[in-house]
Amino acid sequence: MDFSEPTARRDRTSVVPMINIVFLLLIFFLLSATVQTLAPFDVAPPASRAEAPVETPETLFIAADGTMAFDQARGEAVFAEIAATGLSRVLVSADRDLPAQRLAQIMGQLGAAGVTSARLVVERP
């Protein structure tokens, strides 16, 4: 016979439900997050007082020296990439130091590539 004091039972509370909830929240936030396209080079947009935000993820980036980037395409290949994707709306993020004549030329080339609506990204002053 054993007359020793009985040992206290360990609390067997499980943390598995809490881990499950944490993982479910993590999956929810990952799936509901919006992925933003990062600019391949620094672009300083021109200032504007417009109120309406623009909501299209297809962005053409144009540096001050006229260098262009769209998705993985660079230079003049961006127009072929835009035409191949069949986009009709494009967001243009051009540097404020880009000459207006070059921007107008690029807009004409976008029209030739099938773009019917191009919006210029600006920042509020």
Side-chain angles (χ1 to χ4, degrees):
M1 290 182 77
D2 186 16
F3 292 110
S4 63
E5 291 288 325
T7 58
R9 295 186 78 184
R10 290 186 356 175
D11 187 17
R12 297 192 184 254
T13 306
S14 176
V15 295
V16 173
M18 183 180 70
I19 294 172
N20 288 343
I21 290 173
V22 169
F23 278 118
L24 286 174
L25 286 173
L26 177 67
I27 291 170
F28 171 76
F29 287 123
L30 287 175
L31 292 178
S32 64
T34 303
V35 179
Q36 182 179 6
T37 305
L38 297 177
F41 38 76
D42 289 335
V43 175
S48 173
R49 297 184 194 274
E51 296 288 331
V54 179
E55 299 177 8
T56 179
E58 296 83 12
T59 305
L60 170 65
F61 296 96
I62 309 170
D65 63 354
T67 305
M68 295 178 288
F70 180 81
D71 198 21
Q72 299 299 318
R74 301 290 185 263
E76 296 296 320
V78 299
F79 302 113
E81 179 72 22
I82 291 170
T85 57
L87 293 175
S88 63
R89 295 177 55 194
V90 175
L91 188 64
V92 178
S93 180
D95 195 277
R96 70 179 68 155
D97 296 328
L98 179 72
Q101 295 85 3
R102 179 65 179 134
L103 181 60
Q105 179 187 17
I106 292 171
M107 291 296 189
Q109 291 173 305
L110 284 174
V115 175
T116 58
S117 174
R119 293 184 175 211
L120 185 63
V121 175
V122 295
E123 66 181 12
R124 289 186 180 182

